[in-house]
Amino acid sequence: MAVVKQVSTVELTVPLQRSMRFATRQVSARDFTLVQIETNDGVIGNGVVYMHVANIIEEKLRPLLLEQDVLDTEKLWRNMYREMYRDRKGAAIRAIGACDIALWDAKGKTLNLPVYKLLGACRDRVPCYGSGGYYRKTGREAINEIQEEVTKYVKSGFRAIKMKVGGLPLNDDLERVRAAREAAGANIEVMLDANNAYDSNTAIRAGKAYEKFDVYWFEEPVWPEDLAGSARVSRALSTPIASGELEYTRYGFRDLIISNAASILQPDAEVVGGVSEWLKVASLAASFNIPVAPHWAQEIHTHLASAVENSIWIEWFAKDLDIRKEDELYTSSVKLEDGFAIPSNEPGFGVKLNEDAIKKFSKRKIE
Ligand SMILES: [Mg+2]
């Protein structure tokens, strides 16, 4: 039996080289918690989430994991959730997610299988969309920057790109979208992400204006709790609404689905409660014939999207965009080929930590 012998955490803060903005937030650094779960066989499973949640893990979750069989992920998830269910959303569920991801990584390494095979693979590659189009520069320079980003993604084989909207007056955002569509050409899908910027009236007005650029999806047009508003936007537009990157557990996604707030769901394993809960959300979506396009965490989601029937896209960030600082903390064995993400056959998630970077960006001194 592979028994959990140690659960350790490190909180990290990694600065961006150039700060950036999306509609609702300015970002100059990224916060992470790394969880390491070590078994009696000396296997170490790694789990990372982008929030500082080490206290919850150390005080509440570690005692539930120690001396348990690392293969019993379903039981361990249930026990962690029962401990934390009074919180139901937010940091508590992210902490559970970090542990669950580390457990799945350790399970794969224990059984010497990559996670997508362990789950029962459905495909061996998933199409990616090139994500970016953040607010950094202004005026003509911003337009040039977006066009350069889009051109780079298209040249390297991507068939879809995503950019931010909602951070400028509508006419200025329309110019940015026009520029992206121009650079992409007619055969590339263009997705727009408003990061909860609008109320439903403004979202309908903006969404209708964007429609002339043949938009593939309109992401998070309104505040995440405004399910009725999102449903209203969805009814008013011909562009599909994508949402769910800030939603927690199967229960949050159940409400998104039954309120008709979105017709493309974007569960994020680091947010929703880990691998175990992500799979439940994907199955729930499948039962409504709704596709999933996971948000962020390309090294994790390549495995998960490869293992379910109803995944349509992976969100992919080019390293040189300086958006995803995970790329400095570890190296993933997922390969990118002609716009497709391909999981490797390395056991677990096939991620190797960069120990120097972990030390450098750690908030606490590591002995
Ligand atoms: Mg988004």
Side-chain angles (χ1 to χ4, degrees):
M1 202 160 91
V3 173
V4 176
K5 282 290 172 195
Q6 213 177 48
V7 179
S8 55
T9 61
V10 185
E11 286 186 345
L12 304 135
T13 296
V14 188
L16 266 62
Q17 281 152 35
R18 297 188 298 151
S19 80
M20 54 78 175
R21 186 169 72 83
F22 49 85
T24 37
R25 224 153 62 87
Q26 177 87 31
V27 181
S28 53
R30 299 285 198 189
D31 292 334
F32 300 101
T33 304
L34 163 67
V35 186
Q36 297 198 291
I37 290 181
E38 187 169 354
T39 71
N40 56 331
D41 300 327
V43 161
I44 296 177
N46 298 307
V48 170
V49 291
Y50 39 84
M51 188 185 266
H52 287 161
V53 291
N55 283 349
I56 298 173
I57 294 167
E58 284 172 18
E59 288 169 23
K60 301 284 187 188
L61 305 182
R62 175 158 49 197
L64 303 173
L65 301 177
L66 289 173
E67 301 302 328
Q68 299 296 309
D69 187 335
V70 80
L71 302 186
D72 295 348
T73 42
E74 193 71 7
K75 180 177 92 181
L76 297 178
W77 197 94
R78 180 199 64 187
N79 291 350
M80 290 192 285
Y81 187 68
R82 282 184 181 176
E83 178 66 28
M84 303 307 300
Y85 84 95
R86 282 163 297 184
D87 296 291
R88 294 198 300 285
K89 295 195 174 199
I93 304 302
R94 292 187 192 230
I96 292 174
C99 294
D100 185 78
I101 292 168
L103 286 167
W104 277 93
D105 190 38
K107 177 153 58 163
K109 288 169 177 168
T110 298
L111 300 174
N112 200 27
L113 283 171
V115 172
Y116 82 110
K117 287 287 187 190
L118 188 57
L119 294 173
C122 184
R123 57 179 68 97
D124 56 11
R125 55 179 53 206
V126 190
C128 301
Y129 65 86
S131 207
Y134 286 75
Y135 295 98
R136 265 175 169 150
K137 296 179 175 168
T138 52
R140 188 68 231 168
E141 279 195 326
I143 297 288
N144 291 344
E145 189 175 41
I146 281 208
Q147 292 200 314
E148 278 163 25
E149 261 182 35
V150 171
T151 305
K152 226 167 159 181
Y153 273 131
V154 172
K155 274 192 177 157
S156 58
F158 287 84
R159 290 158 186 83
I161 61 99
K162 189 172 91 182
M163 63 179 288
K164 301 299 187 186
V165 291
L168 289 174
L170 182 55
N171 279 338
D172 296 329
D173 267 338
L174 281 167
E175 281 317 301
R176 298 171 68 255
V177 178
R178 182 193 306 279
R181 170 51 79 195
E182 213 177 86
N187 298 324
I188 301 293
E189 306 292 2
V190 173
M191 297 135 169
L192 304 182
D193 185 0
N195 291 98
N196 323 105
Y198 303 117
D199 60 51
S200 60
N201 292 331
T202 319
I204 290 169
R205 183 163 166 254
K208 284 191 170 161
Y210 296 136
E211 275 180 349
K212 64 171 168 286
F213 299 112
D214 188 18
V215 175
Y216 182 89
W217 79 43
F218 189 22
E219 180 172 329
E220 289 200 301
V222 299
W223 204 244
E225 302 297 348
D226 186 10
L227 299 182
S230 190
R232 213 181 140 233
V233 178
S234 179
R235 276 196 305 275
L237 301 181
S238 59
T239 309
I241 302 303
S243 190
E245 69 174 69
L246 292 173
E247 202 46 81
Y248 296 88
T249 74
R250 74 199 81 160
Y251 307 112
F253 278 90
R254 172 202 59 195
D255 294 347
L256 255 178
I257 292 171
I258 62 177
S259 60
N260 293 309
S263 56
I264 296 164
L265 297 181
Q266 302 174 293
D268 180 333
E270 296 186 20
V271 178
V272 77
V275 173
S276 303
E277 199 64 3
W278 190 98
L279 293 168
K280 289 191 171 66
V281 167
S283 292
L284 176 66
S287 73
F288 286 86
N289 208 18
I290 292 178
V292 294
H295 163 258
W296 207 264
Q298 54 214 43
E299 65 287 344
I300 303 293
H301 292 134
T302 298
H303 285 263
L304 306 192
S306 296
V308 301
E309 191 188 345
N310 55 328
S311 59
I312 50 171
W313 296 100
I314 296 274
E315 180 170 30
W316 193 274
F317 290 88
K319 261 188 195 171
D320 59 3
L321 279 183
D322 181 39
I323 297 289
R324 248 180 60 91
K325 304 310 281 184
E326 290 90 330
D327 293 329
E328 288 180 37
L329 299 178
Y330 49 72
T331 315
S332 161
S333 58
V334 168
K335 284 203 167 49
L336 182 69
E337 212 176 273
D338 195 28
F340 285 80
I342 305 171
S344 84
N345 280 322
E346 282 181 30
F349 286 108
V351 163
K352 274 197 185 57
L353 297 183
N354 175 352
E355 300 292 347
D356 291 342
I358 302 288
K359 275 192 192 120
K360 181 174 167 196
F361 298 118
S362 165
K363 281 188 69 200
R364 278 184 246 162
K365 246 195 149 73
I366 301 172
E367 300 306 323

